[in-house]
Amino acid sequence: MSIEVKVPQLPESVTDATLVNWHKSPGEAVARDENLVDLETDKVVLEVPAPAAGILKEIRIESGATVTSGELLAVLEPAAAGAAAPAPAAAAAATAAPVAVAAPAGAAAPESSENADKLSPAVRRLLEENDLDPAQIAGTGRGGRILKSDVQTYLDQRVHPEGDTEDTPLPSVPEPAAAGARREHRVPMSRLRARIAERLVDAQQTTAMLTTFNEVDLTEVMALRARYKDRFEKEHGVRLGFMSFFMRASIEALRRFPAVNASIEGQDIIYHEYYDVGIAVSSERGLLVPVVRDADQLSFAGIEKTINDYGKKARDGTISMDELTGGTFTITNGGVFGSMLSTPILNPPQSAILGMHKIQQRPMVVDGEIVARPIMYLALSYDHRIIDGKEAVQFLVATKDALEDPGRLLLQI
């Protein structure tokens, strides 16, 4: 009896998805729970696993098509029924006599099939685009899992090999353009990029967005971090970054100015009595904003661990839809890319977003003397429909005061 492979139930806010690529061809054997196909939604890439072991009999929908929940993707023949028709690769292997081949000295051990099944969509796509065999790449992830950085390192070594121990073919280089020739190429937007564009334009057109600025002296935060970062990492297994300080300072300010943590729904203002803080994370697919739930109840270590986990998931393409939905306030850090100042765009229906920037030594007047201090510019973009300028400025001042005297974060004063 044939087994149908269908599009899983998509999240409530997602109406359809794009079929990115198949990982199996008709006639190939598949194992239960092995990923068959990747579906790209507006926010994440979903993997569709095989519901049972068998042979992929028929593919009903090709790559690039738009699909909806419950739509038939493919048909499998159960393992028992398909036993008489092994996959072509398996049949060829069965007829060949086994030959022992010694691995070259220094070569990485082939990846186990278990680890191969755990490749993220981002890694699979990079492997397929460069026609690479995962068995040739040593994984540095947990349990030997191949990460995107491992594939990139392998590609870099092919282009710039160290020594002459291996004759690795270099990637083809396009012919130089003729004098005066101008080239261009056109690629479709990914669903995520299109969705980001739509939301940014929508935010500009449907909110009364305004940005206010301030600066913060991070001398005390940096001194506290330098004093305890080694012990903190040893105790909690995660590095002490700046984001936990900014999140805790923001939450204290949000408590004092609840409109900054509110949202508009129709003609109503919803004041959220909880703090689900979105953290903007850059990935190869675009900007993602995973949400730290009940951030006010987390310790510094809990905040850092959550953010670190989200960063890994974003890079590996394994972040879930639930982790990207909701949020009452957002923090974005352009400083990691060198940004000195920016005006972040709101993430509707939220009413405010805090922008962090590069820490720079600047001259400051302290007690009548000019001294160099580590200064960061802060930017708060807010919806002027429900947040007055006074509240926005006071929110930034409260955040600044907490960061310049971080003991207040512990005492909550």
Side-chain angles (χ1 to χ4, degrees):
M1 181 178 180
S2 298
I3 301 171
E4 295 183 338
V5 180
K6 296 183 177 181
V7 177
Q9 184 64 41
L10 298 175
E12 184 177 352
S13 59
V14 177
T15 57
D16 55 33
T18 299
L19 197 155
V20 180
N21 64 288
W22 287 94
H23 298 293
K24 293 290 184 178
S25 301
E28 287 191 300
V30 298
R32 179 182 175 85
D33 295 329
E34 183 178 6
N35 183 31
L36 289 177
V37 62
D38 295 331
L39 305 179
E40 184 180 38
T41 70
D42 296 341
K43 297 182 178 181
V44 296
V45 174
L46 302 175
E47 297 183 347
V48 180
I55 301 296
L56 181 56
K57 180 181 178 182
E58 181 184 2
I59 290 177
R60 293 289 183 89
I61 299 179
E62 297 298 332
S63 299
T66 299
V67 297
T68 57
S69 297
E71 194 168 349
L72 182 62
L73 296 174
V75 177
L76 297 179
E77 285 292 342
T95 58
V99 179
V101 180
E111 185 185 21
S112 67
S113 58
E114 179 182 358
N115 288 331
D117 293 340
K118 295 180 180 179
L119 296 177
S120 70
V123 172
R124 288 197 186 95
R125 191 174 298 114
L126 195 56
L127 290 172
E128 292 171 359
E129 288 175 354
N130 292 277
D131 194 23
L132 299 178
D133 181 358
Q136 299 175 340
I137 302 173
T140 60
R142 182 176 299 177
R145 181 177 181 179
I146 295 177
L147 305 180
K148 181 187 173 186
S149 58
D150 298 328
V151 181
Q152 193 60 57
T153 299
Y154 179 81
L155 290 172
D156 292 342
Q157 291 174 348
R158 289 177 60 183
V159 179
H160 303 290
E162 297 181 3
D164 300 322
T165 57
E166 184 178 0
D167 293 329
T168 305
L170 297 179
S172 59
V173 178
E175 291 292 331
R182 299 192 301 171
R183 292 183 174 181
E184 63 182 19
H185 67 282
R186 185 188 300 264
V187 296
M189 277 190 183
S190 67
R191 291 180 65 94
L192 176 61
R193 177 55 59 189
R195 181 59 173 164
I196 290 173
E198 178 185 337
R199 287 181 61 84
L200 292 178
V201 172
D202 182 65
Q204 296 273 26
Q205 294 178 343
T206 61
T207 63
M209 191 166 63
L210 188 65
T211 304
T212 187
F213 305 94
N214 212 319
E215 61 183 14
V216 56
D217 182 349
L218 293 175
T219 299
E220 296 299 325
V221 167
M222 294 181 74
L224 188 64
R225 181 172 176 267
R227 190 179 309 133
Y228 294 112
K229 65 178 182 179
D230 292 338
R231 183 174 175 182
F232 184 92
E233 185 171 1
K234 182 178 180 181
E235 183 76 19
H236 300 291
V238 65
R239 293 180 59 189
L240 177 60
F242 290 102
M243 187 60 77
S244 52
F245 287 96
F246 276 83
M247 186 175 291
R248 291 293 292 271
S250 297
I251 290 171
E252 293 306 313
L254 290 172
R255 286 194 172 105
R256 295 175 57 184
F257 305 99
V260 184
N261 196 48
S263 59
I264 294 179
E265 187 175 295
Q267 297 299 314
D268 298 328
I269 299 176
I270 301 175
Y271 290 94
H272 306 289
E273 298 180 5
Y274 52 90
Y275 305 92
D276 289 351
V277 181
I279 301 296
V281 176
S282 178
S283 74
E284 67 163 359
R285 297 179 58 238
L287 185 68
L288 302 175
V289 188
V291 178
V292 180
R293 310 286 180 189
D294 296 317
D296 58 314
Q297 300 178 24
L298 296 178
S299 64
F300 277 74
I303 292 172
E304 293 291 351
K305 288 179 180 178
T306 303
I307 295 173
N308 191 46
D309 289 343
Y310 280 152
K312 290 180 179 178
K313 288 183 177 181
R315 288 191 297 272
D316 294 344
T318 58
I319 200 161
S320 70
M321 183 68 71
D322 289 341
E323 293 168 327
L324 295 171
T325 55
T328 60
F329 181 74
T330 294
I331 301 176
T332 179
N333 184 8
V336 296
F337 304 111
S339 172
M340 184 184 75
L341 194 62
S342 67
T343 55
I345 298 179
L346 291 176
N347 185 20
Q350 298 171 26
S351 63
I353 178 172
L354 178 68
M356 299 166 56
H357 300 89
K358 183 180 179 180
I359 302 172
Q360 187 78 37
Q361 289 285 333
R362 293 190 173 88
M364 300 290 292
V365 178
V366 180
D367 297 330
E369 296 183 355
I370 299 177
V371 295
R373 290 294 179 91
I375 303 298
M376 175 190 285
Y377 293 138
L378 298 180
L380 181 75
S381 292
Y382 58 98
D383 192 339
H384 212 341
R385 293 178 298 170
I386 60 173
I387 301 174
D388 294 330
K390 176 183 176 181
E391 288 176 298
V393 172
Q394 289 178 323
F395 172 88
L396 272 186
V397 171
T399 303
K400 167 187 170 74
D401 290 344
L403 290 167
E404 292 185 342
D405 185 8
R408 300 173 62 169
L409 297 177
L410 302 177
L411 300 176
Q412 295 183 332
I413 58 175

